[in-house]
Amino acid sequence: MSPVVLATVICGILALALFLMGAAMLHTDLPAVERLRLYLGLPARQRPKLAQQLEAALAPAAKLLPPSAQESSRTRQRLIQAGYREPRHLQIYFGVRAVLVLAPFLLLLAAGMARRAPLLLMAAPALGLVLPRFLLKRRVARRARRIGHSLPDVLDLLVICVEAGLGLDAAIQRVAKELKMLHPELCGELELLELELRAGVSRREALQHLGERCAVDDLRTLSAALIQTDQFGTSVGQALRAHSQSLRIERRQRLEEDAAKLSIKMLPVLALFVFPAVMIVVMGPAVIALVRHLGPLLTR
């Protein structure tokens, strides 16, 4: 088997594994679609049969490389922070990782690359170990960024509801209902917080769980502030308003910092791409004229 064909096969396996992960794990329904189906009286949308078949196929693969208890717990926490809360998502993750590790390794052995390219034989399984973790971290970071952007709006409405006379639990429920279409990630976490409070979990533990489920420092700070407010019996409205003001000041400072770094970040781009093009446009005609006039003189 030629190296080109082997590289094509490996790329195809990686693409298939990414497709399996996307079909099985990234299948989410928009809240607008679900609400429209509810208004029309249609049944709740079920997962497609293809996703179920892929999950059933990945279940045996997850047992090929069983993780340790510590790794399984850490991965479970990252999946929750990425928005995958069901137990099947953990099995899908380790199944995809096992496919990415073993399939290129077996293909390289079957192609006889163990002697010709031993480094490739070691790099292919390592890529299978690193790639799912990298994609999961990116998913966690994107979701945390969206939650951080939606936090000021949710916090402002929460302040209005509390100062209007609602309790904290009722205000959280109201905010989660009103802003679910605009900020589905954060409102979904608030709904989980409300469900935990209804189930009998103490407010302290529920707020701690909220901070653990979202990898957002501002939300963890808000949870700590609400826990202290509940312990000392201070005004919830004043605490929320103070936190909202500090959050907006912090966001403005971050934007100012990013704006100050922009000129420095633009220097490599200008030096590598813009400046050479400008020099070619400006100096190009002069260089061509010099070559035309001085070339015959130099060749004599």
Side-chain angles (χ1 to χ4, degrees):
M1 183 181 295
S2 62
V4 177
V5 177
L6 183 61
T8 305
V9 172
I10 293 176
C11 292
I13 292 175
L14 294 177
L16 179 61
L18 292 177
F19 171 75
L20 296 178
M21 180 182 293
M25 297 179 61
L26 302 181
H27 180 72
T28 56
D29 296 328
L30 295 176
V33 177
E34 293 298 327
R35 182 170 293 186
L36 181 60
R37 295 177 67 89
L38 181 62
Y39 287 157
L40 296 177
L42 299 176
R45 187 175 179 180
Q46 299 180 354
R47 292 187 295 111
K49 294 182 179 180
L50 178 61
Q52 298 178 4
Q53 293 174 358
L54 291 176
E55 292 176 10
L58 289 174
K63 300 178 182 179
L64 297 177
L65 296 176
S68 62
Q70 184 178 3
E71 183 181 2
S72 178
S73 177
R74 184 170 58 252
T75 305
R76 175 65 176 163
Q77 180 67 24
R78 290 178 180 174
L79 287 172
I80 291 175
Q81 292 177 354
Y84 306 119
R85 304 185 183 92
E86 299 183 15
R88 62 185 177 89
H89 292 148
L90 183 64
Q91 189 176 15
I92 292 170
Y93 174 83
F94 287 115
V96 171
R97 191 185 70 169
V99 170
L100 288 176
V101 171
L102 296 178
F105 182 76
L106 295 177
L107 277 177
L108 291 174
L109 285 179
M113 300 294 292
R115 295 182 179 179
R116 290 183 292 177
L119 294 179
L120 182 61
L121 190 66
M122 298 173 59
L127 180 63
L129 288 175
V130 174
L131 186 60
R133 189 179 305 172
F134 173 74
L135 294 177
L136 182 59
K137 287 183 178 180
R138 290 197 61 181
R139 173 72 179 180
V140 171
R142 287 198 301 266
R143 187 170 182 268
R145 194 180 303 112
R146 290 195 298 268
I147 291 176
H149 290 165
S150 60
L151 185 58
D153 296 337
V154 172
L155 193 57
D156 289 340
L157 186 57
L158 190 62
V159 171
I160 293 173
C161 292
V162 170
E163 292 182 350
L166 292 178
L168 182 58
D169 299 346
I172 292 174
Q173 183 180 4
R174 181 74 180 202
V175 170
K177 181 180 179 181
E178 292 294 333
L179 297 180
K180 187 175 182 180
M181 299 289 293
L182 186 60
H183 305 296
E185 290 87 0
L186 184 54
C187 290
E189 296 295 337
L190 293 179
E191 288 178 352
L192 287 179
L193 173 64
E194 183 63 24
L195 290 176
E196 287 184 346
L197 293 175
R198 290 183 181 180
V201 180
S202 63
R203 185 178 295 176
R204 177 187 178 89
E205 293 180 356
L207 290 172
Q208 288 178 351
H209 294 166
L210 176 63
E212 293 174 357
R213 289 195 304 267
C214 304
V216 182
D217 294 335
D218 295 332
L219 192 58
R220 292 173 181 172
T221 305
L222 176 62
S223 301
L226 292 177
I227 290 173
Q228 293 180 357
T229 301
D230 188 36
Q231 288 180 347
F232 297 110
T234 56
S235 175
V236 178
Q238 293 180 359
L240 291 175
R241 183 172 292 278
H243 186 76
S244 177
Q245 293 176 356
S246 63
L247 180 61
R248 292 189 180 280
I249 293 173
E250 184 178 357
R251 289 189 65 185
R252 184 173 66 252
Q253 291 176 350
R254 289 177 183 175
L255 292 176
E256 292 175 354
E257 181 182 359
D258 294 338
K261 292 179 180 178
L262 185 60
S263 59
I264 305 300
K265 293 180 179 180
M266 287 295 294
L267 286 178
V269 179
L270 293 174
L272 294 177
F273 300 101
V274 179
F275 183 71
V278 172
M279 292 299 296
I280 291 174
V281 172
V282 173
M283 302 297 295
V287 172
I288 294 174
L290 289 174
V291 171
R292 286 178 179 178
H293 291 84
L294 299 179
L297 297 177
L298 295 176
T299 55
R300 293 179 181 177

